[in-house]
Amino acid sequence: MYIVKYVERINKLTSSESYLVDFINNNPHFFVTNKISDISKQANVSNSTITRLYKKLDFKSLKAFQIMIAKKITNLEPSLIQTNDLSISAVMNNLRVYHTYSIYETLSDVQQIVISQLVDKICQTKKIQLFGLGSSWTACNELGMNLEKIGFDVMTNHDFHMQLLNLTKLTTDDLMIVVSKTMTAKEINFLVEKCLEFKIPLCVLTSNKQYHYKTKINFFISFAVFEQEKRITAISSKISQLVLADLIFTAVYHNLHGSNSSLIERGNNIIDEWNKK
C-alpha cells in the first residue's frame, strides 16, 4: 500500500528521507500511533529526518502528517488486503485490490486543470491520433471509438508503420494522444520525438512521472498502478488507463453540452434498423 506516494517533489529527498518513506509505506500503523522518538528509533533515522520529510511534503507538523496517513489507511485498508491463496475467491479479492487502488489513486491525484485544458484542445482540434502498445491499446481504442461517436476525426491503428504514415497528416491544429505505462518502448519514444520535431500538440497518459520529455509535452497526465510482486499481465495499469479514457471522453461530451448527441441518436437508429432485419 503506497500511503506516501513518490510524487515529483519527493525526488529531492535525501537517501535517509527516501528510506523513511519506505518505512512509512510498510509500517503505516506504527507511524501514526507513535511519537517522533519512537519512530526514529524503529525506522533507524534521526528526528531531524522525520521533521524534514513532513516539511518537504508541505505539512506544518508531524501530527498533521500522521492524521493524513491515518485517513488514507481508513479509506484504503478495507479493500487493499492481498492474499497469497490460489483459490478463485483469493484471485477475485486481489483483483479488487488492484482495481480499487488504481482507480482511487488515479482519480485522487489527477490534475483537473490539465484535464480541462486537454478537453478544450480536443473540442477545437481537427484530427486526433491515438497510439498505445499492448494493453495500452485498449484505452486508445475505447477513447477513439467514443470520440468518433460524437463526430471527431480519429485515427487509430495497431500497425506502427501506419501510425507513422498517419502522423504526416497531422498539423499544429491537431492532437496526438499516447498511452503507455512506462514510456520506455522505442516505438513510443520515436513517435513522441517526431511530434516534438513537427510541433504537433501531444498528450501523454503514463504512470512514469519522471518521463524525460515531460516538460516538453503539452498535456502530461499520470495514473496510478498497484505494482504486483509477480506481474503476469497489466492488470492495474489497464484499469487506470480506461478510467482516464472515460474521464476525458465524458468531460469532452459535457463540454459540448450534448451538441453532438444527434449523431449518436442517428447512429443508434441505423443500428436498430439493421438489427431488425
Side-chain angles (χ1 to χ4, degrees), residues 162-184:
M162 283 302 302
Q163 286 284 348
L164 296 179
L165 291 173
N166 286 336
L167 186 64
T168 63
K169 302 174 185 177
L170 300 183
T171 70
T172 54
D173 293 325
D174 302 318
L175 178 66
M176 166 66 75
I177 300 177
V178 173
V179 183
S180 171
K181 177 179 182 290
T182 62
M183 296 296 292
T184 55

Side-chain angles (χ1 to χ4, degrees), residues 63-103:
K63 181 56 65 178
F65 189 26
Q66 289 174 314
I67 289 172
M68 181 280 292
I69 291 174
K71 287 180 178 178
K72 292 205 70 174
I73 293 172
T74 301
N75 288 333
L76 295 176
E77 194 170 57
S79 59
L80 293 184
I81 301 174
Q82 295 184 82
T83 68
N84 294 319
D85 192 355
L86 298 180
S87 66
I88 295 298
S89 61
V91 173
M92 291 168 62
N93 173 79
N94 289 346
L95 284 174
R96 184 175 66 249
V97 168
Y98 302 146
H99 289 181
T100 301
Y101 176 88
S102 299
I103 294 171

Side-chain angles (χ1 to χ4, degrees), residues 10-27:
I10 292 186
N11 274 347
K12 300 178 181 179
L13 298 185
T14 65
S15 58
S16 58
E17 290 163 355
S18 296
Y19 178 82
L20 177 58
V21 168
D22 289 332
F23 174 83
I24 296 170
N25 284 334
N26 290 320
N27 306 274

Side-chain angles (χ1 to χ4, degrees), residues 8-49:
E8 285 81 350
R9 59 178 174 269
I10 292 186
N11 274 347
K12 300 178 181 179
L13 298 185
T14 65
S15 58
S16 58
E17 290 163 355
S18 296
Y19 178 82
L20 177 58
V21 168
D22 289 332
F23 174 83
I24 296 170
N25 284 334
N26 290 320
N27 306 274
H29 288 285
F30 181 89
F31 184 80
V32 300
T33 56
N34 286 275
K35 57 187 179 181
I36 191 168
S37 58
D38 293 332
I39 296 170
S40 63
K41 182 178 179 180
Q42 186 71 16
N44 197 28
V45 297
S46 66
N47 287 8
S48 59
T49 297

Side-chain angles (χ1 to χ4, degrees), residues 220-267:
F220 188 89
I221 301 170
S222 62
F223 55 80
V225 294
F226 192 107
E227 297 293 357
Q228 304 153 250
E229 184 177 350
K230 296 180 180 179
R231 188 175 187 268
I232 302 173
T233 185
I235 293 175
S236 67
S237 59
K238 180 168 55 183
I239 202 70
S240 296
Q241 292 167 1
L242 286 170
V243 165
L244 285 179
D246 285 344
L247 171 61
I248 293 167
F249 168 72
T250 304
V252 167
Y253 182 73
H254 289 167
N255 193 66
L256 295 172
H257 305 293
S259 60
N260 289 14
S261 59
S262 60
L263 291 174
I264 296 178
E265 184 178 356
R266 288 168 58 193

